[in-house]
Amino acid sequence: MGRIAVIGAGTGAMAAAARLAVAGHRVTVYERAETYGGEVRRFERDGFAFDTGPGLLTLPAVWRDLFVKTGKEPLEACVELVQVDPSSRHVFADGTEAALPNASRAGVVAALDEALGSGAGGRWGDFLVRAREAWDRTRRPLLEEPLWPDWSVLADREPYPAVPHKRLLRTRRAATLAEIGAWELRDPRLAALLEGHALAYGLDPRTAPASAAVLPYMEHAFGTWYVRGGTRELARAVFERCLARGVEFRFGAEVTGVPEKDGRAAGVEVADGTVAEADHVVAGVRPARLRKLTGHRLDDEGDVGPGTGSRPGRFTVLLALRGPRETGAVHRTIVHAPDRAAELDALGSPSPGPVRPTVTVLRPDDPALRPDGDHESVVLSAVVASDGGRDLPGRREALAGELVAAAEAVIPGLRERILWREETTGSGSGGVSAPSLAAGGGRFLHPANTTRLPGLYRVGGWAHPGGGLPHAGMSGALVAGLIVEGPEFRGSQ
């Protein structure tokens, strides 16, 4: 039985901790905050409750597998999962609206034909078929297996089977998500539908590889799910599974260093001066913090992984509303930006101007999130340019106003219903981590779960296989497999 020190109590780190404890290891989690969950957070006030991290779940099979492998109680015995139908309602820049059913290709095709005109649904349906090919080619290496040592094969090969396109007397194939929208979907509204999946992770569709087609495919194929009580309930269930398996948690314990012995990670040093020895260290922290903890770079320049510059972040407005949720209200509505090019230009600008972004409106019909039936809790969010960590109050106020203005298009009498609102801090300074994607020269892959320091492992959204709740859960499974089975581990079969 080995001693495992886990840095951070995010969902990926806890997934690894639970699996390692079941394998017989003695696991201790060190979390500098006073609670678990990482980005899966909750805000509560006056009987209202809000998810301030991800509000919906895709690929629940990842978490079902965790609960099957770590105990007798399945996931559904610990949380209630509800399919969201329609999966989403879209309000496009020209005012056109479309409500898309959950996990039904035929239903989506029919809905798009009705909303956007004959032929639109067929083009989207044909795109989903091609996106499935990209998913089938990349699912194992990008989600279920440790990052290949020869990862450059993934970096150089585009798995999306783009349709040949005549352009300037030459035949070309889409190499980016934006080119798929322009050349294959041929409708700005369908393009917005496609690009919104990349934008949600802070990716610019003009530079994101065509392989990002797997993002809308995942949602289409595996459905969109809501965790009753909010996504925070999933984090609670994982935390309680860790406790049941004997994982020890130390909250308010900031790790300040990873000591080495005989050329390998040998434990963790805590801010109070305590040094805890360990046979393996699992770090669920961002790359910059991990470099500080170890005292040196773990990857050479040019290695796999996203750049170290500022990434766009998610800005969130929480609305406490008087009055009940109207009959027929949709759980998720996406109000697309009126000027997509301006939105994307602002996303990469260090000093963005007042551009209205694409806004996601979440209105869960959940009594656990409101004081009574005469009130409603709503979450508005958008991905915006980083503010460099300055967290400027004036910018927060302007952004909040833009999000509320967008939401007025889908919530009747919104401004008159607002009791109070809260904006999450760090309007972009935190950054959004995207799932790993093939092609793009490796810029859209994430560092491997193993590191050049033996005994030290990466887990969570900033390591392979990248960001998002399903990917965080898989990172936990991969790290546990590498520790239990050794470097020859090649993923679940």
Side-chain angles (χ1 to χ4, degrees):
M1 181 173 69
R3 298 165 299 178
I4 311 289
V6 179
I7 307 172
T11 51
M14 290 195 296
R19 291 176 182 271
L20 288 166
V22 167
H25 293 282
R26 193 164 68 246
V27 184
T28 303
V29 177
Y30 299 85
E31 169 57 57
R32 61 182 176 181
E34 296 297 334
T35 189
Y36 55 84
E39 295 298 315
V40 184
R41 301 182 301 273
R42 170 172 290 180
F43 179 87
E44 297 180 354
R45 175 180 161 188
D46 300 340
F48 292 89
F50 308 84
D51 281 324
T52 60
L56 295 172
L57 179 66
T58 56
L59 272 179
V62 171
W63 298 100
R64 291 190 179 113
D65 181 74
L66 171 70
F67 279 75
V68 166
K69 300 289 177 57
T70 60
K72 295 181 180 180
E73 286 187 313
L75 175 63
E76 278 80 355
C78 303
V79 297
E80 182 182 355
L81 294 181
V82 182
Q83 274 199 311
V84 177
D85 203 5
S87 172
S88 58
R89 171 190 177 195
H90 292 262
V91 179
F92 298 105
D94 66 353
T96 306
E97 298 187 14
L100 306 183
N102 198 343
S104 168
R105 180 177 179 275
V108 168
V109 167
L112 289 175
D113 273 342
E114 181 178 355
L116 308 185
S118 178
R123 291 196 297 276
W124 183 259
D126 291 343
F127 157 74
L128 287 177
V129 172
R130 294 188 292 274
R132 177 178 180 175
E133 289 191 44
W135 168 257
D136 289 342
R137 293 170 182 172
T138 61
R139 174 180 59 85
R140 282 200 61 82
L142 288 185
L143 190 62
E144 298 175 353
E145 298 178 347
L147 188 66
W148 292 349
D150 57 341
W151 57 264
S152 60
V153 175
L154 297 172
D156 298 335
R157 185 175 299 169
E158 173 55 69
Y160 177 78
V163 176
H165 173 74
K166 292 281 188 181
R167 185 172 177 83
L168 299 178
L169 303 180
R170 297 175 59 190
T171 299
R172 295 183 58 187
R173 295 177 183 270
T176 67
L177 207 63
E179 289 175 341
I180 292 176
W183 301 352
E184 298 180 13
L185 298 178
R186 304 190 307 278
D187 184 311
R189 298 162 298 184
L190 290 179
L193 177 61
L194 169 66
E195 294 174 359
H197 289 273
L199 185 62
Y201 288 105
L203 298 174
D204 186 334
R206 299 172 300 189
T207 57
S211 64
V214 299
L215 300 178
Y217 175 77
M218 284 172 54
E219 185 172 301
H220 159 77
F222 304 107
T224 305
W225 300 78
Y226 174 67
V227 182
R228 185 70 68 184
T231 310
R232 177 70 178 176
E233 285 296 290
L234 175 63
R236 174 199 55 78
V238 177
F239 172 67
E240 291 180 354
R241 178 55 54 91
C242 286
L243 294 178
R245 299 284 79 85
V247 176
E248 180 183 356
F249 284 81
R250 297 186 182 178
F251 294 110
E254 180 174 3
V255 173
T256 56
V258 177
E260 300 176 30
K261 183 178 181 180
D262 299 328
R264 62 177 290 118
V268 295
E269 181 177 350
V270 187
D272 63 5
T274 303
V275 176
E277 295 183 353
D279 301 295
H280 302 277
V281 177
V282 177
V285 299
R286 295 171 186 268
R289 186 180 172 206
L290 188 56
R291 287 195 294 271
K292 291 180 180 178
L293 295 179
T294 59
H296 54 77
R297 288 187 64 88
L298 297 172
D299 299 287
D300 293 335
E301 293 292 339
D303 265 3
V304 60
T308 57
S310 296
R311 287 188 54 80
R314 186 170 288 109
F315 180 74
T316 304
V317 178
L318 315 176
L319 298 178
L321 304 184
R322 61 171 63 88
R325 183 178 186 267
E326 72 274 11
T327 302
V330 174
H331 188 122
R332 175 177 61 168
T333 300
I334 299 172
V335 184
H336 292 272
D339 188 336
R340 176 53 57 86
E343 176 185 31
L344 297 178
D345 289 341
L347 199 65
S349 171
S351 301
V355 176
R356 213 219 73 194
T358 294
V359 177
T360 298
V361 182
L362 294 181
R363 305 179 66 190
D365 186 11
D366 190 342
L369 304 184
R370 57 184 185 246
D372 53 50
D374 291 324
H375 295 85
E376 181 183 7
S377 65
V378 174
V379 177
L380 315 178
S381 65
V383 173
V384 299
S386 170
D387 59 16
R390 292 171 291 173
D391 196 22
L392 302 177
R395 184 177 183 226
R396 290 202 310 273
E397 183 67 21
L399 275 172
E402 293 287 352
L403 268 61
V404 170
E408 284 188 284
V410 297
I411 303 179
L414 174 60
R415 289 192 184 271
E416 292 73 24
R417 295 181 59 196
I418 296 176
L419 289 170
W420 50 262
R421 80 183 193 199
E422 292 277 349
E423 300 95 37
T424 56
T425 57
S427 57
S429 59
V432 178
S433 179
S436 291
L437 299 172
R443 291 182 295 115
F444 301 91
L445 297 173
H446 288 262
N449 304 109
T450 54
T451 71
R452 291 205 174 115
L453 179 61
L456 177 64
Y457 301 82
R458 302 181 183 92
V459 74
W462 297 94
H464 179 74
L469 278 173
H471 297 73
M474 281 306 304
S475 75
L478 294 174
V479 167
L482 288 165
I483 291 176
V484 172
E485 299 187 28
E488 299 306 313
F489 173 69
R490 286 296 175 263
S492 59
Q493 300 299 321

